[in-house]
Amino acid sequence: MTAPRVLLTGAAGYIGSHTWLALLEAGFRVIGLDDFSNSSPEVLNRLQTLSGTAPEFVRADVRDAMALNAVFSAEPIDAVVHFAAFKAVGESTAKPLAYYANNIGGLLALTEAMQRHACKTLVFSSSATVYGNPEQLPIREDAPLSATNPYGSTKLMGEDILRDLQRADPQWAMALLRYFNPVGAHQSGLIGEDPRGIPNNLLPFVTQVAVGRRPHLQVFGNDYNTPDGTGVRDYIHVLDLAAGHAAALYYLLDQRRPITANLGTGSGHSVLEVVRAFELASGRPVPVQFAPRRPGDIAASYADATLAHQLLGWRTTHDLAAMCADSWRWQRQNPNGLAG
Ligand code: NAD
Ligand code: WQD
C-alpha cells in the first residue's frame, strides 16, 4: 500500500511545521500549503534540513478555490489537516471581520474543494477556547461550549459547520482536536514559535525576556482562585501535539468515525510555576511584575485527556521542564526569530 498523502494548510506555522515533520517521520506523504501571512518561507529550508528531503509545498491562500482545485487535481489527497487560521484573541476583537473572513472563509473553501474531489477525511484545529469559562475542571469534551471573543467564535462556528457537514454526509471522517496551550519547540532548535510583534502568549514572552529582548514579564493577575493566585493552564509540548495529529489521522483513515478530543496533558501549571521552570531550564532570570488581570482571561483551564488516550492511543510524554528547555534552545539559537 502506498503511504497516505496528506495536505496540511497553515503548514509553515508553529504547529503546522512540527506536525509536518511528525507526519513525514510517521511515513505519510505531506504537501504543505501556506500564504506566509503569519510565518516565514525560511521554515521550508529548516524542514528540508530536518527531513533530508525538499518539502512539497504550495504558496496559496486557503480561500483561493482555484489554487485548491489545482492541488486536489494534481494527485489524489487522502486526508487534510487544517491549521490555516488567524489566532490572536486580542486582534480578533479589534478586527472581527478579518477573523471571520479568514477562519470561516478558509474552512468553507477547503471543505467545498474536498467535497468536490471526494476527499472526506479532515483534522480540524480547534481550541480549548470553545469551553469559554469552564464550570468544571478538568474539562471533558462534553462540557458546555461558548465563545468569549471573535477568535473563539470562529473555532466554535468551525466545529458547528463540520458537525452539520458530518451529519449531512456520514462519509466524512473528522477529528475536531481541541488544543490546550501549545508550547516548546523541536529539539533541534531549528523550528519553533515565531510570533510577529509583541507576543500575546506566555511562553514566547518569557523566552524574549530571558534572551534580553524585553525587560520583564507582566503577570496578569495574582488574585485568582488558584494555589498561588496566578492563572493556571494546561501547557502541552508542540511535539506531543504533532504526534496527536498523526494518531488522529491513523484513527480516521482506519475507523472512518468522527471524533472530538482534547489534546492536553491533563494537568495545569500557574504562571509563576512556568516562570520558575523556565529559569531553571535556561539558567537565566525572568524578572516579573504583577499587573491587573487581562480582560477575558479565566482563572484555570486544563484538560481531561482520557478520551484521546482511549480512542487514539495517544498520550503526552514531555513535561514542563522539557517544554521550557526546548523553547529556550529555539529562542537562544534564533534570538530574533526566523527574520533575524
Ligand atoms: P500560526 O499562525 O503559527 O500558523 C498558522 C499558519 O496559517 C501560518 O503559517 C499562516 O501564515 C497560515 N495562514 C493563515 N491564514 C491563511 C490562509 N488564509 N491561507 C493560507 N495560510 C494561512 O498558528 P499556530 O499556533 O500554528 O496555530 C495553528 C492552528 O491551531 C490555528 O488554526 C489555531 O487557531 C489553532 N490553535 C492554536 C493554538 C495556539 O495557542 N497556538 C491553540 C489552539 C488552537
Ligand atoms: C497563559 C497564562 C495569562 C502573557 C490563548 C488563547 C487560546 C489558545 C491558547 C488559540 C494566562 C498569563 C500571559 C503574559 C501573563 N489559542 N500571561 N503574562 O490565554 O490561556 O490562551 O492561547 O486557540 O484560545 O486564548 O494563553 O499564553 O496568552 O496565557 O501573565 O505576558 O499566562 O494571563 O494566565 P491563554 P496565554
Side-chain angles (χ1 to χ4, degrees):
M1 196 187 84
T2 54
R5 191 155 177 273
V6 182
L7 171 67
L8 300 190
T9 73
Y14 173 44
I15 304 170
S17 56
H18 290 83
T19 302
W20 192 334
L21 210 54
L23 295 187
L24 288 176
E25 280 164 8
F28 290 97
R29 291 182 297 155
V30 179
I31 169 164
L33 179 148
D34 207 298
D35 65 358
F36 300 123
S37 53
N38 196 40
S39 53
S40 160
E42 172 61 17
V43 168
L44 303 178
N45 299 328
R46 304 285 173 103
L47 286 170
Q48 173 150 8
T49 303
L50 287 167
S51 69
T53 52
E56 195 183 339
F57 180 76
V58 175
R59 181 175 190 158
D61 187 321
V62 73
R63 291 169 290 179
D64 180 341
M66 278 183 30
L68 287 181
N69 201 38
V71 169
F72 280 96
S73 303
E75 208 186 316
I77 289 183
D78 299 293
V80 178
V81 185
H82 181 44
F83 295 108
F86 294 153
K87 63 162 180 177
V89 170
E91 186 184 57
S92 80
T93 57
K95 299 180 184 170
L97 293 183
Y99 273 68
Y100 288 112
N102 198 36
N103 296 6
I104 303 300
L107 180 64
L108 291 177
L110 177 68
T111 45
E112 278 163 7
M114 291 176 70
Q115 184 125 276
R116 247 192 329 273
H117 292 271
C119 171
K120 296 186 178 178
T121 305
L122 174 67
V123 179
F124 175 64
S125 293
S126 189
S127 166
T129 192
V130 300
Y131 296 118
N133 195 346
E135 287 160 18
Q136 276 190 349
L137 294 169
I139 308 172
R140 285 166 39 124
E141 286 81 357
D142 56 5
L145 304 180
S146 70
T148 53
N149 55 70
Y151 167 72
S153 297
T154 68
K155 290 294 161 184
L156 199 47
M157 279 182 201
E159 286 201 1
D160 284 335
I161 289 167
L162 294 176
R163 277 188 282 268
D164 284 345
L165 179 56
Q166 209 278 329
R167 266 192 292 269
D169 178 357
Q171 282 183 351
W172 277 88
M174 307 169 175
L176 311 186
L177 301 182
R178 296 176 179 156
Y179 315 153
F180 278 66
N181 288 60
V183 297
H186 191 262
Q187 285 107 345
S188 63
L190 287 177
I191 53 172
E193 189 169 10
D194 185 21
R196 294 180 174 179
I198 301 171
N200 302 300
N201 295 115
L202 178 63
L203 243 293
F205 207 104
V206 166
T207 61
Q208 292 194 7
V209 172
V211 84
R213 275 170 73 179
R214 308 193 183 272
H216 60 261
L217 171 76
Q218 284 194 307
V219 176
F220 298 138
N222 60 352
D223 57 351
Y224 284 110
N225 184 18
T226 59
D228 65 17
T230 67
V232 166
R233 298 290 185 273
D234 187 338
Y235 297 96
I236 172 172
H237 198 299
V238 66
L239 292 177
D240 283 328
L241 200 54
H245 290 75
L249 282 169
Y250 285 131
Y251 178 86
L252 294 178
L253 292 167
D254 183 48
Q255 305 276 322
R256 309 254 8 117
R257 267 204 293 265
I259 172 175
T260 298
N262 291 335
L263 294 186
T265 64
S267 42
H269 294 287
S270 74
V271 176
L272 292 180
E273 273 183 272
V274 171
V275 169
R276 267 184 238 112
F278 189 86
E279 288 182 323
L280 212 59
S282 66
R284 295 273 179 111
V286 177
V288 301
Q289 267 184 11
F290 291 106
R293 293 180 178 191
R294 188 172 60 177
D297 265 1
I298 54 177
S301 159
Y302 49 92
D304 181 328
T306 47
L307 187 74
H309 181 56
Q310 282 165 359
L311 292 186
L312 306 181
W314 167 90
R315 62 161 38 130
T316 60
T317 60
H318 297 80
D319 62 10
L320 184 61
M323 299 178 209
C324 291
D326 293 337
S327 291
W328 175 235
R329 186 180 307 104
W330 153 252
Q331 181 70 73
R332 209 183 47 214
Q333 287 179 208
N334 307 271
N336 297 309
L338 291 179

